[in-house]
Amino acid sequence: MKEIFAKVLPADMPRHEYEVYKKEVERKNKALIEDAKNFVLPKQQIIHGCMLPMEDLKPQRCYTHVPFRMEEYGDTQNTVATSGCGILIAKFLERTYNSKLNVSVEELAKLAVMKGYRGYRKKEDGTYAPMGMKHVFFERFIPSLYGFSSKRAETVQELMDATWDYTCPVLLLANNIYRNDDKNKDSHFVAMLGFTPNSICVFDPEKERPVYVRTEVIFSALRAAWIIKDY
């Protein structure tokens, strides 16, 4: 397992590479958000029956004992329970796609921090504020660990096509809309399990079972999406 972990790509990349990446990400995210404004779900429906046994993946609130932080930045409080939804999405994909690896939530959190995926913002007073998971996690960490392919979606139709193809796209949702909380400026990762004519079915790391969310809520909250496949 140590050899596998050693091959996991770090979050940081050369500046010139990052500048190209950043521009491409901004373009794709903007295109997706614009496309979602007018997209109408087809009248068909598809729901994947994938949900892990509770002994494999518990709701996010149960991971208060798993650190997800960089204490050298003065962060001594954060855990997977407070800010590790991306970690649980990784575990969800591992089991859903029947990966040969079996990486514990504890190992995933520790490795993600070690590889630089825990985000922080330097404040004016020189201290650091935690910012959750760096989004490049889904393009570098997960593919290099599990061997999955990953690409950012530019249209909602790509998400629909992926779902028909038994793939579970990862969605980044704005919490002020998804949770109907105007004061919540954070975002949240969920995996898309399917859709009906009026709703999107998602695996939400905070929930004990899949939930159906109104289409207009998901599309309004959508900020980015990844199509991650096991081939």
Side-chain angles (χ1 to χ4, degrees):
M1 191 68 79
K2 288 184 178 180
E3 293 181 359
I4 294 173
F5 287 176
K7 294 179 181 179
V8 173
L9 293 175
D12 293 338
M13 59 185 80
R15 179 173 291 276
H16 68 279
E17 183 179 338
Y18 176 74
E19 292 300 326
V20 173
Y21 165 81
K22 183 180 179 182
K23 289 180 181 179
E24 191 68 1
V25 162
E26 291 174 350
R27 181 186 67 79
K28 290 182 178 181
N29 289 349
K30 182 178 179 180
L32 178 65
I33 292 169
E34 287 299 315
D35 187 64
K37 291 179 180 178
N38 300 308
F39 190 87
V40 178
L41 282 175
K43 294 187 185 266
Q44 307 101 316
Q45 72 175 44
I46 179 171
I47 306 295
H48 296 318
C50 52
M51 188 58 193
L52 303 180
M54 292 307 294
E55 61 265 21
D56 284 340
L57 190 61
K58 298 179 174 61
Q60 189 173 345
R61 64 178 180 274
C62 298
Y63 293 94
T64 55
H65 64 290
V66 183
F68 186 51
R69 57 183 180 252
M70 296 181 68
E71 296 191 2
E72 58 267 40
Y73 281 5
D75 185 357
T76 60
Q77 302 296 322
N78 281 291
T79 65
V80 168
T82 61
S83 49
C85 57
I87 295 296
L88 299 185
I89 291 291
K91 184 64 180 179
F92 171 80
L93 294 173
E94 173 195 292
R95 303 296 354 123
T96 297
Y97 292 158
N98 294 315
S99 170
K100 294 179 181 179
L101 295 180
N102 184 9
V103 188
S104 69
V105 171
E106 291 81 358
E107 289 173 316
L108 284 169
K110 182 177 180 180
L111 184 60
V113 171
M114 183 178 69
K115 294 287 184 173
Y117 289 92
R118 185 68 170 97
Y120 288 87
R121 174 178 57 83
K122 191 173 183 178
K123 298 190 293 185
E124 292 182 359
D125 63 2
T127 61
Y128 290 84
M131 300 291 290
M133 180 73 78
K134 293 181 180 178
H135 300 170
V136 72
F137 179 79
F138 295 99
E139 289 149 308
R140 289 173 68 85
F141 183 96
I142 288 180
S144 61
L145 176 60
Y146 293 113
F148 300 155
S149 66
S150 174
K151 71 169 186 174
R152 288 212 183 210
E154 298 182 61
T155 68
V156 177
Q157 188 60 53
E158 290 181 78
L159 306 181
M160 302 297 110
D161 293 343
T163 306
W164 277 110
D165 195 31
Y166 294 95
T167 297
C168 299
V170 175
L171 313 181
L172 177 68
L173 305 177
N175 273 335
N176 63 328
I177 299 173
Y178 179 58
R179 292 178 174 167
N180 193 27
D181 181 358
D182 291 339
K183 296 181 180 180
N184 193 329
K185 298 181 180 180
D186 296 330
S187 299
H188 190 56
F189 296 112
V190 302
M192 182 175 170
L193 305 183
F195 57 87
T196 74
N198 303 307
S199 63
I200 306 292
C201 182
V202 301
F203 162 72
D204 184 332
E206 295 184 342
K207 309 296 183 181
E208 296 184 1
R209 57 187 59 84
V211 294
Y212 290 83
V213 185
R214 296 195 322 275
T215 303
E216 60 268 27
V217 172
I218 292 291
F219 284 178
S220 296
L222 192 59
R223 293 297 174 262
W226 295 263
I227 297 172
I228 300 173
K229 298 184 178 182
D230 61 345
Y231 56 89

